[in-house]
Structure formats: C-alpha cells, structure tokens
Amino acid sequence: MKEVVKIALAGFGTVGTGLVKILMENKDWIKRRTGKEIIVSQILVKNLNKPRPIIPQSEPIFTNNVDEFLQNKDWDILVELIGGLELPYQIISKAILFGKHVVTANKALLAIKGKELLQLANAKNVGLYFEASVGGGIPIVQTLKESLCANKVTSISGILNGTANYILTEMSQQGLSFDLALKQAQEKGYAEADPALDIDGIDAAHKLVILIFLAYGEIYPFEKLWIKGIKQVDLLDINFAKELGYILKLIAQVQRESNGLRAGVFPAFFPNNHILSKVDGAFNAILVQGNATGPVVLCGQGAGDLPTGSSVLADIISLIKHNSQINNTGFKDDPFQQAKCLDFMDWECKHYFRFQVKDKPGVLSSLSGVMGEYNISIAQAIQKTQTKTKQGVPIVFLSHRAKLKQVTAAINKINEFDFILEPTIHYPIIE
Amino acid sequence: MKEVVKIALAGFGTVGTGLVKILMENKDWIKRRTGKEIIVSQILVKNLNKPRPIIPQSEPIFTNNVDEFLQNKDWDILVELIGGLELPYQIISKAILFGKHVVTANKALLAIKGKELLQLANAKNVGLYFEASVGGGIPIVQTLKESLCANKVTSISGILNGTANYILTEMSQQGLSFDLALKQAQEKGYAEADPALDIDGIDAAHKLVILIFLAYGEIYPFEKLWIKGIKQVDLLDINFAKELGYILKLIAQVQRESNGLRAGVFPAFFPNNHILSKVDGAFNAILVQGNATGPVVLCGQGAGDLPTGSSVLADIISLIKHNSQINNTGFKDDPFQQAKCLDFMDWECKHYFRFQVKDKPGVLSSLSGVMGEYNISIAQAIQKTQTKTKQGVPIVFLSHRAKLKQVTAAINKINEFDFILEPTIHYPIIE
C-alpha cells in the first residue's frame, strides 16, 4: 500500500469519532507501527449541519449522499460505522465489488448477512474485518481466528453486552430496581433511548453468532438461538442470588456436544468464585475453553468511542500489513456450512426456582412432589416467612442437574396450583 | 509453503510433547485452518534412549548430534524448546542464517539476546516468533503486537510466573509456610528441583523484558530491572494482608512516565477488588492499560504441555499463513533503541510495613516519629499485643503514597532502634 492510506468513513457517531481521536492523538505512534500515515479522506453522515466534536486534520470531504460517497473511489479502506442493516449492506457490498477492503463494527449485519458478505469478499480477494463487532476493545476476534486457532473449542461463555451488565451490576450493588437501573444507564449514555436490542439479549446474540463462526467455522442461524432477556429480572432474585453465593449475569454461551452445538443468550446464576462473576459494570469478558489451552479469559471495555475505535484501527493496520493475505474467516476450507443446532431444552444444568405462594400448609409438599414427578432432585430449599413481598411468600429451590425441558414441564404444572400467586421464576446455574 | 510443512524440533520435553500431542489430536482441525499438514520431521534430544510418552506419527529422525540436526535442511520451521542460553542461541542463529523461520518459547534467551536475534531475522527476512515465551496459552504477544498496536501503553501489570503464584496462593488459602508450599509445588511438577528462576523473580523479569519490547518498541536491559523474589515471604504478612483486605502477589510491572519507563518484579499487596487479585494457583494474567482501550486483561494457564504447545502451534500457523510478512517486532522503525530506565526508588505508591518490636512504652511514638521525619504519612496503624510470634510483637503501618527511597531510608533508620527485633518487612500496595 501507498505511504498515505485513505479511509472512507461511513458514519461519524461515537465510534467514528473515537477512531478519529486515536488517529490524531497517536499519529506518530501509528507511523512507528506501520510506516504509513492513515488519514480519513471522506465521511458519510446523515446530517451535514450537525456540530461535530472533532474534525480530522486531513479535512475530509463530508457528504450525506451515498452515491457520491461511493463514486469517489480515491480511498483504500471503507470503514462502516453506521449500524443498522440495509444501508451498511449496500455500502459494504459495493465497496467489496470495487475491490476495496472493508472494516466494520456492525454485529447485526454480520450475524444476519455475514456469510454472504464474507463469501463476496473472498471471491473478490479483499478483506472484510470486524474486530470491533464483538467486545469493543477486547481482541477476541483475532484471538479466536489466530492465537487459539489450533484448538478445538469446547465452549465459549461471554458477557457480551455492557448495558445489560451495567444494569444487573447496579441492581446487585446499589439495590436499584430494573427500571431505575435502566434509566440510570440511559442517563450515563450506556443505553439507547430504545434499549430493546440490549435488554432483550438480541445484541449479545448477534455477537454470539460471530464468535461461533470464528471458533467453529460454521454458521449458526440467528433464529435458532435460545434468547432470553433481562427485562423481567426482579431485585428479589438478585438478592436471593447474593444470599446463596451467586450473582445474576446475562450470559451468551455455546457448548460443543458430540452431535452439534448448543447456543443461547440468557440470564443465569454464576457462583461467586467464577471468574466471570467479577466482571462488573459496562465491562465485557469472554471465557474460551480450548482443548489445548484450557480456559482463556479476555476482559475489557465492551463499548465506548476509544476502545471500539482502537479495535477498528487494529483491523485497518492489519489490512495494511497483510495486504495480500486477507481471508478473514480463519479457515482454508468452507466455513459456511450450517451448524447442527441442538435444542436448548436438552441442556442439563443446575437450577434456581422461586415460587411465589400463599402461606398455607402442604405447599412445600406439593412443590417437591411435582419436582419428584419430573425427576428433578432438590439440593436446597429456603422458605422465609418473614420475607415481605407484594405477593405472598417466596419459596426458593436449588436443584441438582436436570434438563431444561424437565424444568419447564415442572414449572408449567406448578403454575397451575391455586396457591401459586405469580408465574414461577427460574434461572439456570452456571458451574 | 508446500502442502506438508516440516518442523525441526529442538528439545522434546514438556512443551515439545504437548506440541506433538496437539498436532496428533487436532490434525484434521489444523488442516481445516491452514490447508496444510504439519509434521515433525526431526527431533534433537539429549538422550536418545530416554523413553518418550508419545512419538509423532510422522516417524521423525531422532538425533542427539547438533551438527547432524542442523545439516539436514529438509525442513521449513525450527521450533526451539530446549531452554537455556548457549545451545539455543547457536541453533537459532544457524537456522536464521539458513533462511529458515524460527519459533521459540525461550524467554531467557529473548530477554538477553532478543535484540541480536531479531535483527538477524529481519536481515534474513525470516520470522522469529515467540508467543509461547510469555503467559503459556495466553495470546499476549499477538495482542500487544497487533490487536492493541494502535495504543500507547500506559502500563502493564502481570502475574507472569505460575510457580510463584501457586506458592503464594497455597500460603494464603491453606495457611502453608513458604517452604511447605514450595515443596508441594515441586511435588505437583509446577516447580523445578532448582526453583531459583521462579521464586527469585528472574523468570517473570525475563518475560517482562519481552512485554516491554512488544509494547514500547524499546529494549529494557534485564540488569536495569528492579527485581525482588518471594523467598522471604512470611505467612504473618499474608495473614495481615487478608485482614486488611489485600492479597500478596508477585507482580511484574512497567509504567510509562513522561521521562521514561519504570519496570520491576516484586511482591506487592493487591486490594481484594483488583481483577488480578482473583488470579489464583498456576494461572497467569496480564493487565494492559492502553490510552485508547483502557484496561484489557488476559488470563489463562501460564505453563503446561498443552497450553504452551498451543501457543507454539499458533506461531507455526501464523508463519505458514503470513509467509512473506514476518517482521515480528510489530514496528516498522527501529525498535532496538534502549529504553530510558527510571529508578524504581522514585516510584510513589502506598506501603505496608511490619515492625517486629519489643513490647515497651514509646515504641509507637518512635516509629511514627521516623515516618514523619521522612514525610511518610500513616493511614492506619495496628498493634495487637495478643499476636504471638517468634520475635516480640508485630506493629503494622499502612502509609499514604510515598517514594520508595523515602521508605527505604525510613526503614534503615528504624532498623537501628534497639527495640527492633527483626529487619522490618515492607511491601508496596498496588492501587
């Protein structure tokens, strides 16, 4: 590549601004690393009149016209930081067809259209890089693609959404309700005005699809994931968790079984001594179990202008250095076969239950009777008459290992008892 | 490279065996990743008659003759896993002169002769790769060289020696003395018969020199590091640490100041909520503070056949993929200038002191008098008359921030009091 590498930047929000800040602040350092000057030569924005906190020294052309942005081809690498699906898809595919390298942080697009775009990039022999799409400043993409590539990955467990982790941490540490914690996250700029992608587990699920692709070289269709969000999380269960030596976290997880992959995103209880239980606030962490390395954990800021900008820039530099070796799948053979997706209902783990009951004789016996009927063995039962709640008294069970389908069936039956005042709460326990 | 990549393996101990195990166990997987078959074609050993737990399927030529090993050049990559300095230096330089790529896990050699060997490799345009030299299965070399390369690194703090960490963890969790914990580490195979490199901090210091090179592109001469080991660590201080909300760890640390780098290896108190305080047993962890990413933590098994073998193999695969782009310094300009090495005595931090004193009036006043004289402000003082020890009673001070030279001067003066029964113990406190 030439001495000056030109970036066409689509989108100039938080991450785009972060990228420009790093390019300015660390300009000499990047020259030391690459021997090149990296400049932003044009920027696609929605609103030309919006004030910008920072303007690149290179005085790029600003445009809000997509065609104009694409037609001027005097640049080397497209950096897509718009977000959303349709426009990024259109811009990225055109850039690839022009024979240009692409860097993107767009997890939704990669989770839904990654196969198609990577196949197109491979066909045109250009790079489609996406370190910033998972884990913000955490180098998980390169780690799975290169450093751990000799490993068969047994499982990946990740805290992949900083907003959800921030909300659960505030609930646990400050005793806030879900609604208050969410409001606080929005005030601090961690959560969007519409927080659905974060709190419904969708964002974490997009990232999980990308991690599965990198680790296994297989496509896990997004719609086959088992996804549960944190909207329903009650402070009562967070407090029971604490009392029992656990902490509630939103986890994204894939496990390799002999006959396929089991993957999902869901809130779960982590024991206090689990390394991921220490990952608080807006931090992300990913635990990879390799058949050679054993457990490897990467932890860092999962979002934000500079951390995510740093990952975008790592991709740009990687493309500059390895200009001719840019297959970004990490596989020489076809990594686009569909994974064998196992039913999450067959997953066997320990469980937490909270039944909200009328305080009357025989309740405990009825509950444990149904558990026995579905072959769920109870490890611990807690009934505290003094606990005051809106609805009756809570009874908590911790069970030994059982399949999710046994648990679901048992809960359905239990919810029909007339002494049950609220739908039963249940969380898997991670070991 | 050809369809079959041939490895010349020097040394067939723990890591060499691990490498061969992974090559056999994950053979098909590695073919998926690289499109190549990787075989071991010859092995240099000291003792031809020693029974081997595993023999590569490729039926390599075994030799104990260095000249024979080097003269047969029908291989692509030298993997040096002998350890020590002289023989590895000789073998690696010859391989580079032959124009062959080299992979090594030899931290001592890299810390002492890294500059010379990397310059030679650059001159001959071959790769000298060393992911396995720091942190076993943790991908810290690639992370510093590539993923975080756009960052100016503010500091690195690492638990880089699994043996020392295992010993300190056992002392803390099981209440073992240093001698007993060391004996147990030796029985479990974590510590060598001569454990000096591990417990004197030398091994961690070798690794720190490598991390500094990767992060800053400067050579930090080994002999300029401030190195303190853990041989003198007393259970009494580990218990005081616990009581005060800290844990004692052997840390390797470099900090960038405006006028240079400050680097050392030493036992220190970590607060219980510090992420590195949770890294127990033989695990390693590295906390990198980048000016864009903020804190990034990598954690995993710091040693062992398979984790370290996995990193060796990652390097081999990297060389196969990026055959033509193999400058492994991570810098385009000269990364071999000597760092400006700052005096550790100017480092300012909080401190822990334990004075072992005769129980008589005026002692506390004399101790705090000297502290005041050297401008060290006391944050907390603990005197427990009931604590029984071999020598008098312990008085513990925690101080606010002060320079190491103030602390050293104060301790020297205090140790001359006739009521001091043992040399005063002191540890820096990490914030």
Side-chain angles (χ1 to χ4, degrees):
Chain A
M1 259 186 214
K2 300 159 292 183
E3 283 311 292
V4 176
V5 177
K6 291 184 183 170
I7 304 297
L9 179 60
F12 198 33
T14 306
V15 181
T17 307
L19 172 65
V20 167
K21 277 187 197 162
I22 304 169
L23 283 172
M24 287 166 77
E25 173 80 20
N26 293 0
K27 187 179 169 185
D28 296 342
W29 183 250
I30 293 161
K31 189 89 193 263
R32 271 205 77 188
R33 288 290 202 177
T34 62
K36 315 272 182 193
E37 194 177 343
I38 301 170
I39 66 162
V40 176
S41 65
Q42 56 178 50
I43 303 183
L44 177 69
V45 293
K46 212 190 260 174
N47 180 353
L48 283 172
N49 298 317
K50 190 172 164 183
R52 304 290 167 182
I54 197 166
I55 300 291
Q57 292 165 314
S58 49
E59 296 184 2
I61 302 158
F62 278 83
T63 176
N64 59 1
N65 183 317
V66 177
D67 292 329
E68 196 180 298
F69 180 74
L70 286 167
Q71 268 154 28
N72 172 9
K73 286 177 216 154
D74 177 32
W75 45 268
D76 306 288
I77 298 172
L78 170 75
V79 174
E80 184 277 307
L81 300 172
I82 302 175
L85 291 175
E86 279 183 34
L87 183 59
Y89 176 77
Q90 181 195 341
I91 294 174
I92 291 175
S93 7
K94 285 208 176 144
I96 294 173
L97 288 170
F98 294 159
K100 303 282 192 178
H101 298 309
V102 175
V103 174
T104 178
N106 194 327
K107 45 257 178 190
L109 181 65
L110 289 162
I112 309 293
K113 292 279 192 186
K115 174 180 171 178
E116 195 179 317
L117 290 172
L118 280 163
Q119 283 178 325
L120 190 63
N122 285 354
K124 297 293 290 182
N125 199 29
V126 298
L128 172 57
Y129 275 40
F130 47 86
E131 182 63 72
S133 65
V134 187
I138 304 171
I140 185 63
V141 171
Q142 175 151 25
T143 294
L144 284 173
K145 190 170 61 118
E146 307 207 359
S147 307
L148 302 185
C149 71
N151 284 262
K152 292 183 186 169
V153 171
T154 321
S155 68
I156 301 175
S157 309
I159 294 173
L160 299 182
N161 185 280
T163 308
N165 202 47
Y166 176 84
I167 290 171
L168 294 175
T169 302
E170 288 300 297
M171 289 178 76
S172 175
Q173 292 182 356
Q174 312 297 335
L176 300 186
S177 69
F178 176 83
D179 290 335
L180 266 177
L182 170 60
K183 198 165 153 251
Q184 191 173 302
Q186 284 169 325
E187 280 163 10
K188 292 208 170 185
Y190 291 141
E192 306 288 329
D194 174 9
L197 283 177
D198 295 323
I199 64 177
D200 291 343
I202 308 297
D203 175 75
H206 287 148
K207 293 165 178 167
L208 181 59
V209 169
I210 297 170
L211 296 184
I212 292 172
F213 174 73
L214 290 163
Y216 298 99
E218 293 173 359
I219 301 289
Y220 202 104
F222 179 78
E223 61 277 10
K224 298 215 174 207
L225 290 171
W226 188 65
I227 305 175
K228 295 183 77 172
I230 59 166
K231 257 191 314 217
Q232 316 299 336
V233 170
D234 193 313
L235 200 52
L236 195 57
D237 300 297
I238 285 187
N239 290 334
F240 272 120
K242 252 195 249 182
E243 199 179 319
L244 293 160
Y246 295 94
I247 186 159
L248 187 70
K249 295 274 180 200
L250 181 68
I251 182 182
Q253 182 180 277
V254 56
Q255 293 174 296
R256 190 188 61 182
E257 306 286 347
S258 57
N259 53 342
L261 300 178
R262 175 170 299 122
V265 175
F266 50 93
F269 275 32
F270 281 76
N272 274 342
N273 62 357
H274 193 291
I275 190 149
L276 294 187
S277 76
K278 311 296 176 194
V279 178
D280 287 335
F283 274 72
N284 280 195
I286 300 130
L287 163 60
V288 181
Q289 288 276 1
N291 76 336
T293 54
V296 173
V297 180
L298 280 72
C299 175
Q301 296 188 69
D305 56 348
L306 299 178
T308 313
S310 166
S311 288
V312 169
L313 194 43
D315 277 348
I316 294 172
I317 293 174
S318 198
L319 282 165
I320 294 173
K321 280 179 158 178
H322 306 298
N323 192 21
S324 60
Q325 243 326 319
I326 36 57
N327 177 338
N328 197 33
T329 67
F331 291 89
K332 277 287 170 179
D333 76 351
D334 176 9
F336 301 113
Q337 300 292 314
Q338 185 178 310
K340 282 182 194 131
C341 305
L342 303 179
D343 188 348
F344 228 89
M345 288 300 114
D346 287 322
W347 184 38
E348 205 175 73
C349 64
K350 296 181 178 178
H351 301 272
Y352 163 92
F353 302 82
R354 174 169 59 85
F355 311 102
Q356 209 60 30
V357 302
K358 268 187 220 155
D359 197 4
K360 66 174 199 178
V363 163
L364 202 58
S365 146
S366 302
L367 291 174
S368 41
V370 176
M371 289 289 169
E373 205 178 307
Y374 288 93
N375 220 2
I376 302 166
S377 164
I378 300 164
Q380 198 175 343
I382 304 174
Q383 176 167 14
K384 290 191 183 171
T385 41
Q386 77 278 22
T387 311
K388 285 192 203 314
T389 66
K390 24 190 177 163
Q391 289 275 27
V393 293
I395 293 180
V396 165
F397 282 2
L398 299 187
S399 82
H400 290 292
R401 282 167 156 255
K403 290 191 174 176
L404 266 180
K405 63 182 172 197
Q406 294 164 259
V407 164
T408 307
I411 288 175
N412 286 341
K413 180 143 184 186
I414 285 170
N415 280 346
E416 285 178 8
F417 283 126
D418 61 359
F419 61 77
I420 290 285
L421 301 173
E422 281 183 0
T424 296
I425 301 296
H426 154 260
Y427 293 109
I429 297 175
I430 303 295
E431 282 171 80
Chain B
M1 260 187 211
K2 300 160 292 184
E3 283 312 291
V4 176
V5 177
K6 290 184 183 170
I7 304 296
L9 178 60
F12 199 34
T14 305
V15 182
T17 307
L19 173 64
V20 167
K21 275 186 198 163
I22 304 170
L23 283 173
M24 287 166 78
E25 173 80 19
N26 292 1
K27 188 180 169 185
D28 295 343
W29 183 249
I30 293 161
K31 189 90 193 262
R32 270 205 77 188
R33 287 290 200 178
T34 61
K36 315 271 182 194
E37 194 177 343
I38 301 170
I39 67 163
V40 177
S41 66
Q42 55 178 49
I43 303 183
L44 177 68
V45 293
K46 211 190 262 176
N47 180 353
L48 283 172
N49 299 317
K50 190 171 164 185
R52 304 290 167 179
I54 197 166
I55 299 291
Q57 290 165 314
S58 49
E59 296 184 2
I61 301 158
F62 277 83
T63 175
N64 58 2
N65 184 316
V66 177
D67 293 328
E68 197 180 297
F69 179 74
L70 287 167
Q71 268 152 28
N72 172 9
K73 286 177 215 154
D74 177 31
W75 44 268
D76 306 286
I77 298 171
L78 170 75
V79 174
E80 185 276 307
L81 300 171
I82 301 175
L85 291 175
E86 280 181 35
L87 183 58
Y89 176 77
Q90 180 195 343
I91 294 174
I92 290 175
S93 3
K94 287 209 175 142
I96 294 173
L97 289 170
F98 293 159
K100 303 282 193 179
H101 298 311
V102 175
V103 174
T104 178
N106 193 328
K107 46 256 179 191
L109 180 65
L110 289 162
I112 310 294
K113 293 280 191 184
K115 174 180 170 176
E116 195 179 318
L117 290 172
L118 279 162
Q119 283 178 326
L120 191 63
N122 285 354
K124 298 294 289 182
N125 199 29
V126 299
L128 172 57
Y129 275 41
F130 47 85
E131 181 64 71
S133 66
V134 187
I138 303 171
I140 185 63
V141 171
Q142 175 152 26
T143 294
L144 285 173
K145 191 170 59 117
E146 308 207 359
S147 306
L148 303 185
C149 72
N151 283 263
K152 292 184 186 169
V153 172
T154 321
S155 68
I156 302 174
S157 309
I159 294 174
L160 300 182
N161 185 278
T163 308
N165 202 48
Y166 175 85
I167 290 171
L168 293 175
T169 303
E170 289 299 297
M171 290 177 75
S172 175
Q173 292 182 356
Q174 313 296 335
L176 301 186
S177 70
F178 176 83
D179 291 335
L180 265 177
L182 170 60
K183 198 164 155 250
Q184 190 173 302
Q186 285 169 323
E187 280 163 10
K188 292 207 170 186
Y190 291 140
E192 306 288 330
D194 175 6
L197 283 178
D198 295 322
I199 65 177
D200 292 343
I202 308 297
D203 174 75
H206 287 148
K207 293 166 178 167
L208 183 59
V209 169
I210 297 170
L211 295 185
I212 293 173
F213 173 73
L214 290 163
Y216 298 99
E218 292 174 358
I219 301 288
Y220 202 105
F222 179 79
E223 60 278 10
K224 299 216 172 206
L225 291 171
W226 188 64
I227 305 175
K228 296 185 75 172
I230 60 165
K231 255 191 314 217
Q232 316 298 338
V233 170
D234 193 311
L235 200 50
L236 196 55
D237 300 296
I238 285 187
N239 290 335
F240 273 121
K242 251 195 251 182
E243 200 179 319
L244 294 160
Y246 294 94
I247 186 158
L248 187 70
K249 296 274 179 199
L250 182 68
I251 182 181
Q253 183 180 276
V254 57
Q255 294 175 294
R256 190 190 61 182
E257 306 286 348
S258 57
N259 53 342
L261 300 178
R262 176 169 298 124
V265 175
F266 50 94
F269 275 33
F270 281 76
N272 274 342
N273 62 356
H274 194 291
I275 191 151
L276 294 186
S277 75
K278 309 296 175 195
V279 178
D280 288 335
F283 274 72
N284 278 196
I286 300 129
L287 163 60
V288 182
Q289 288 273 2
N291 76 336
T293 55
V296 173
V297 180
L298 280 72
C299 175
Q301 296 187 68
D305 56 348
L306 298 178
T308 313
S310 166
S311 287
V312 169
L313 194 43
D315 277 349
I316 294 172
I317 293 173
S318 197
L319 283 165
I320 293 173
K321 280 179 158 179
H322 306 298
N323 192 22
S324 59
Q325 243 325 321
I326 35 57
N327 177 339
N328 197 35
T329 68
F331 291 89
K332 276 287 171 180
D333 76 352
D334 176 9
F336 302 112
Q337 301 292 315
Q338 186 178 310
K340 283 181 194 133
C341 305
L342 303 179
D343 189 348
F344 229 88
M345 288 299 114
D346 287 322
W347 183 40
E348 204 176 73
C349 64
K350 296 180 177 178
H351 301 271
Y352 163 92
F353 302 82
R354 176 169 58 85
F355 311 101
Q356 210 59 30
V357 302
K358 266 188 223 156
D359 197 4
K360 67 173 197 178
V363 162
L364 203 55
S365 146
S366 304
L367 292 174
S368 41
V370 177
M371 289 289 168
E373 203 178 307
Y374 287 94
N375 221 2
I376 301 165
S377 164
I378 300 164
Q380 197 176 346
I382 304 173
Q383 176 166 15
K384 291 191 182 171
T385 42
Q386 76 278 20
T387 310
K388 286 192 202 312
T389 66
K390 22 189 178 156
Q391 287 275 31
V393 293
I395 293 180
V396 165
F397 282 2
L398 299 188
S399 81
H400 290 293
R401 281 166 156 256
K403 290 191 173 176
L404 266 179
K405 64 181 170 197
Q406 294 164 259
V407 165
T408 308
I411 288 174
N412 286 343
K413 180 143 186 190
I414 284 170
N415 281 346
E416 285 178 8
F417 284 126
D418 60 359
F419 60 77
I420 290 285
L421 301 175
E422 282 182 359
T424 296
I425 300 296
H426 153 260
Y427 293 108
I429 297 175
I430 302 294
E431 281 170 80

